[in-house]
Amino acid sequence: MQAKDAKRKVILTGDRPTGKLHLGHYVGSLRRRVQLQDSGEFDEINILIADDQALTDNWENPAKIRDNIIEVTLDYLSVGIDPDRSTICIQSAIPALHALTFYYMNLVTTQRLSRNPTVKAEMKLRGFTGNDSENDNEAGLPAGFFTYPVSQAADITAFKATVVPVGEDQMPMLEQTREIVRRFNQTYRCDVLVEPDIMLPENEVQRRLPGIDGGAKMSKSLGNCIYLSDDAQTVKKKVMSMFTDPEHINISDPGHVEGNMVFTYLDAFSKTEQFAEYLPEYSCLDEMKEHYRKGGLGDVKCKKFLIKVMEEMLSPIRTARAGWESRISDVYDILREGSRKAAETGERTLAEVCAAMRINYFDDRSIIKDWDTWVHGNHGA
Ligand code: TRP
């Protein structure tokens, strides 16, 4: 039983429900998750909608988090996450995570937490300076936010995840989790917790898809996204407005494909077969790039091809989304069932954690017996 358990391949990954998902999420993680799911190589796949974590920097706006739980779930389902093979669950519906977080807090120092580079970067972004200010409202560092890496360690260990597919920005969270696992198992002389491995994106585009404006990263706050839920008209408009090569003014001018979003997106999304279908004068992307570099190939033509490529990818997602939107109560049931299952898993791990710490006072008879002896020892003499 123990040995079999040790070999189980368990995935946990997740997102903060702070907005609808866009193409950056799609190439960076969603497409991968579907592949991992379809590979059949894993014994268990869990996808956590991290609403509690999202609240650590959105506590004044729970409605935003609430609304986006459904948006994100619709995005998952419409790209092909299959609830029969992957468990989609809501963090706040898994009570054991809170208990685990509290015990893990003892195994982490505030000094260690303040060295977390991702937390540091986010602090800057949010204006949490961490200065010891007289005025709490001014620049204080919320304790919930500061300790969210510990709660993420609870997420990962509750499921005994062996593989966590995430972006590079999550490396510090995984490192922190591994430290907590080692410290827990050492301190309580057990092997209850499992050290997870990180699974990073495979290539540059997966790591970071630039925005349609050519900005470093597609991101909601920069307003340069194509959303999975955008309709065909919107996608078309966005592609037509894409940043290309400012030096490519006349069609006959030589053009640059590097830093040109149309080509960056074609690199990420186009397939060679699509040339025969939509742009038969080129046999492949390299040939098309060659022509653009030399001069004589206009942006509009390139963009029209990209629109076809995008539509081939996005239109099935859109259709699936519309299907799920029309049966939103099924989506609700999927979330409830996934969360119920995950809560059970969490409860099992928490029970093992409490047993390892010997704080499971009411279900370990030997602890009760020790008490008996102690009581009788004092009164019976
Ligand atoms: N921190 C992750 C993010 O911002 C979300 C997350 C929460 C997560 N818990 C997790 C990711 C557990 C992987 C595993 O995207």
Coordinates of all heavy atoms in Angstrom, one line a residue, residues 220-261:
K220 N -3.7 41.3 -18.4 CA -5.0 42.0 -18.3 C -4.7 43.5 -18.0 O -5.3 44.4 -18.6 CB -5.8 41.4 -17.2 CG -7.2 41.9 -17.2 CD -8.1 41.2 -16.2 CE -7.5 41.5 -14.8 NZ -8.4 41.1 -13.7
S221 N -3.8 43.7 -17.1 CA -3.6 45.1 -16.6 C -3.0 46.0 -17.8 O -3.1 47.2 -17.8 CB -2.7 45.1 -15.4 OG -1.5 44.4 -15.6
L222 N -2.3 45.3 -18.7 CA -1.7 46.1 -19.8 C -2.8 46.3 -21.0 O -2.5 47.0 -21.9 CB -0.5 45.4 -20.4 CG 0.7 45.4 -19.4 CD1 1.9 44.6 -20.0 CD2 1.2 46.8 -19.0
G223 N -3.9 45.6 -20.9 CA -4.9 45.7 -21.9 C -4.5 45.2 -23.3 O -4.9 45.8 -24.3
N224 N -3.6 44.2 -23.3 CA -3.1 43.8 -24.7 C -3.4 42.3 -24.9 O -2.6 41.6 -25.5 CB -1.6 44.1 -24.7 CG -0.8 43.3 -23.6 OD1 -1.4 42.5 -22.9 ND2 0.4 43.7 -23.5
C225 N -4.6 41.9 -24.4 CA -4.9 40.4 -24.5 C -5.9 40.1 -25.6 O -6.7 40.9 -25.9 CB -5.6 40.0 -23.2 SG -4.6 40.3 -21.7
I226 N -5.7 38.8 -26.0 CA -6.8 38.2 -26.7 C -7.4 37.1 -25.8 O -6.6 36.2 -25.3 CB -6.3 37.5 -28.0 CG1 -5.9 38.6 -29.0 CG2 -7.4 36.7 -28.7 CD1 -5.3 38.1 -30.3
Y227 N -8.6 37.2 -25.4 CA -9.2 36.3 -24.4 C -9.8 35.1 -25.2 O -10.3 35.2 -26.3 CB -10.3 37.0 -23.6 CG -9.8 38.1 -22.7 CD1 -9.8 39.4 -23.0 CD2 -9.2 37.7 -21.5 CE1 -9.3 40.3 -22.2 CE2 -8.7 38.6 -20.6 CZ -8.7 40.0 -21.0 OH -8.2 40.9 -20.1
L228 N -9.8 34.0 -24.4 CA -10.4 32.8 -25.0 C -11.9 33.0 -25.2 O -12.5 32.3 -26.1 CB -10.2 31.6 -24.0 CG -8.7 31.2 -23.9 CD1 -8.6 30.1 -22.8 CD2 -8.1 30.6 -25.2
S229 N -12.4 33.9 -24.5 CA -13.9 34.1 -24.7 C -14.2 35.3 -25.6 O -15.4 35.6 -25.8 CB -14.5 34.4 -23.3 OG -13.7 35.4 -22.6
D230 N -13.2 35.9 -26.3 CA -13.5 36.9 -27.3 C -14.2 36.3 -28.5 O -13.9 35.2 -28.9 CB -12.1 37.5 -27.8 CG -11.5 38.5 -26.9 OD1 -12.3 39.0 -26.0 OD2 -10.4 38.9 -27.1
D231 N -15.2 37.1 -29.0 CA -15.9 36.6 -30.2 C -15.0 36.9 -31.5 O -14.0 37.6 -31.4 CB -17.3 37.2 -30.3 CG -17.2 38.8 -30.4 OD1 -16.3 39.3 -31.0 OD2 -18.2 39.4 -30.0
A232 N -15.5 36.3 -32.6 CA -14.7 36.3 -33.8 C -14.4 37.7 -34.3 O -13.3 38.1 -34.7 CB -15.4 35.5 -34.9
Q233 N -15.4 38.6 -34.1 CA -15.3 40.0 -34.5 C -14.2 40.7 -33.7 O -13.3 41.4 -34.2 CB -16.6 40.7 -34.3 CG -17.0 41.8 -35.3 CD -16.5 41.5 -36.7 OE1 -16.7 40.4 -37.3 NE2 -15.9 42.5 -37.3
T234 N -14.2 40.4 -32.4 CA -13.2 41.1 -31.5 C -11.8 40.6 -31.8 O -10.8 41.3 -31.9 CB -13.5 40.7 -30.1 OG1 -14.9 41.1 -29.8 CG2 -12.6 41.5 -29.1
V235 N -11.6 39.3 -32.1 CA -10.3 38.7 -32.4 C -9.8 39.3 -33.7 O -8.6 39.7 -33.8 CB -10.4 37.2 -32.6 CG1 -9.1 36.6 -33.1 CG2 -10.8 36.5 -31.2
K236 N -10.7 39.5 -34.7 CA -10.3 40.0 -35.9 C -9.8 41.5 -35.7 O -8.7 41.9 -36.2 CB -11.5 40.0 -36.9 CG -11.2 40.4 -38.3 CD -12.4 40.2 -39.2 CE -12.2 40.9 -40.5 NZ -13.4 41.0 -41.3
K237 N -10.6 42.2 -35.0 CA -10.2 43.6 -34.7 C -8.8 43.7 -34.0 O -8.0 44.5 -34.3 CB -11.2 44.3 -33.8 CG -11.9 45.5 -34.5 CD -13.0 46.1 -33.7 CE -12.7 46.6 -32.3 NZ -14.0 46.8 -31.5
K238 N -8.6 42.8 -33.0 CA -7.4 42.8 -32.3 C -6.2 42.4 -33.2 O -5.1 43.0 -33.1 CB -7.5 41.9 -31.1 CG -8.3 42.5 -30.0 CD -8.4 41.6 -28.7 CE -9.3 42.2 -27.6 NZ -9.5 41.3 -26.5
V239 N -6.4 41.4 -34.0 CA -5.3 41.0 -34.9 C -5.0 42.2 -35.9 O -3.8 42.5 -36.1 CB -5.6 39.7 -35.7 CG1 -4.6 39.5 -36.7 CG2 -5.7 38.6 -34.7
M240 N -6.0 42.8 -36.4 CA -5.8 43.9 -37.4 C -5.0 45.1 -36.7 O -4.3 45.8 -37.4 CB -7.1 44.4 -38.0 CG -7.8 43.4 -38.9 SD -6.7 42.6 -40.2 CE -6.5 43.9 -41.3
S241 N -5.2 45.2 -35.4 CA -4.5 46.3 -34.7 C -3.1 45.9 -34.2 O -2.4 46.7 -33.5 CB -5.3 46.8 -33.6 OG -5.3 45.9 -32.5
M242 N -2.7 44.7 -34.5 CA -1.4 44.2 -33.9 C -0.2 45.0 -34.2 O -0.1 45.5 -35.4 CB -1.2 42.8 -34.3 CG -1.4 41.8 -33.3 SD -1.1 40.1 -34.0 CE -1.8 39.2 -32.6
F243 N 0.7 45.0 -33.3 CA 2.0 45.7 -33.5 C 2.9 44.8 -34.5 O 3.0 43.6 -34.3 CB 2.8 45.8 -32.2 CG 4.1 46.5 -32.4 CD1 4.3 47.8 -32.4 CD2 5.3 45.7 -32.4 CE1 5.5 48.4 -32.5 CE2 6.5 46.2 -32.6 CZ 6.7 47.6 -32.6
T244 N 3.3 45.4 -35.6 CA 4.1 44.7 -36.5 C 5.6 45.2 -36.6 O 6.3 45.1 -35.7 CB 3.5 44.6 -37.9 OG1 3.2 46.0 -38.4 CG2 2.1 43.9 -37.9
D245 N 5.9 45.8 -37.8 CA 7.2 46.4 -37.9 C 7.0 47.9 -38.3 O 6.6 48.1 -39.4 CB 8.0 45.6 -39.0 CG 9.3 46.3 -39.3 OD1 9.7 47.3 -38.6 OD2 10.0 45.9 -40.2
P246 N 7.3 48.8 -37.4 CA 7.1 50.2 -37.7 C 7.9 50.7 -38.9 O 7.6 51.8 -39.5 CB 7.5 51.0 -36.5 CG 8.2 50.0 -35.6 CD 7.9 48.6 -36.1
E247 N 9.0 50.0 -39.3 CA 9.8 50.4 -40.5 C 9.2 49.9 -41.8 O 9.7 50.2 -42.9 CB 11.2 50.0 -40.3 CG 11.9 50.8 -39.2 CD 13.2 50.2 -38.7 OE1 13.9 49.6 -39.6 OE2 13.5 50.3 -37.5
H248 N 8.3 49.0 -41.7 CA 7.7 48.4 -42.9 C 6.5 49.2 -43.3 O 5.4 48.9 -42.9 CB 7.3 46.9 -42.5 CG 6.8 46.1 -43.7 ND1 5.5 45.7 -43.8 CD2 7.5 45.6 -44.7 CE1 5.4 45.0 -44.9 NE2 6.5 44.9 -45.5
I249 N 6.8 50.3 -44.1 CA 5.7 51.2 -44.4 C 5.0 50.9 -45.7 O 3.8 50.8 -45.7 CB 6.3 52.7 -44.4 CG1 6.8 53.0 -43.0 CG2 5.2 53.7 -44.8 CD1 7.8 54.1 -42.9
N250 N 5.8 50.7 -46.8 CA 5.2 50.3 -48.0 C 5.4 48.8 -48.2 O 6.3 48.2 -47.7 CB 5.9 51.0 -49.2 CG 5.8 52.5 -49.0 OD1 4.7 53.1 -48.9 ND2 6.9 53.2 -49.0
I251 N 4.4 48.2 -48.9 CA 4.5 46.7 -49.1 C 5.9 46.3 -49.6 O 6.4 45.3 -49.2 CB 3.4 46.3 -50.0 CG1 2.0 46.5 -49.3 CG2 3.5 44.8 -50.4 CD1 0.8 46.0 -50.1
S252 N 6.4 47.1 -50.5 CA 7.7 46.7 -51.1 C 8.9 46.9 -50.1 O 10.0 46.3 -50.4 CB 8.0 47.6 -52.3 OG 7.9 49.0 -51.9
D253 N 8.7 47.5 -49.0 CA 9.8 47.7 -48.0 C 10.2 46.4 -47.4 O 9.3 45.5 -47.2 CB 9.4 48.6 -46.9 CG 9.2 50.1 -47.3 OD1 9.8 50.4 -48.4 OD2 8.6 50.8 -46.6
P254 N 11.5 46.2 -47.2 CA 11.9 45.0 -46.4 C 11.4 45.1 -45.0 O 11.3 46.2 -44.5 CB 13.4 45.0 -46.4 CG 13.8 46.2 -47.2 CD 12.6 47.0 -47.6
G255 N 11.0 43.9 -44.4 CA 10.4 44.0 -43.1 C 11.1 43.1 -42.1 O 11.9 42.2 -42.5
H256 N 10.9 43.3 -40.8 CA 11.4 42.5 -39.7 C 10.4 41.6 -39.2 O 9.2 42.0 -39.0 CB 11.9 43.4 -38.6 CG 13.0 44.3 -39.0 ND1 12.8 45.6 -39.4 CD2 14.4 44.1 -39.0 CE1 14.0 46.1 -39.7 NE2 15.0 45.2 -39.4
V257 N 10.8 40.3 -39.0 CA 9.9 39.4 -38.4 C 10.1 39.2 -36.9 O 9.2 38.9 -36.1 CB 9.9 38.0 -39.1 CG1 9.5 38.1 -40.5 CG2 11.3 37.3 -38.9
E258 N 11.3 39.6 -36.5 CA 11.6 39.6 -35.0 C 10.9 40.8 -34.4 O 11.0 41.9 -34.9 CB 13.1 39.7 -34.7 CG 13.9 38.4 -35.1 CD 14.1 38.3 -36.6 OE1 14.1 39.4 -37.3 OE2 14.3 37.2 -37.1
G259 N 10.2 40.5 -33.3 CA 9.5 41.6 -32.6 C 8.2 42.0 -33.3 O 7.6 42.9 -32.8
N260 N 7.9 41.3 -34.4 CA 6.7 41.6 -35.1 C 5.7 40.6 -34.6 O 5.8 39.4 -34.8 CB 7.0 41.4 -36.6 CG 5.8 41.6 -37.5 OD1 4.7 41.3 -37.1 ND2 6.1 42.0 -38.7
M261 N 4.6 41.1 -34.0 CA 3.7 40.2 -33.3 C 3.0 39.2 -34.2 O 2.7 38.1 -33.8 CB 2.7 41.0 -32.5 CG 3.2 41.7 -31.3 SD 4.2 40.6 -30.2 CE 5.9 41.2 -30.6

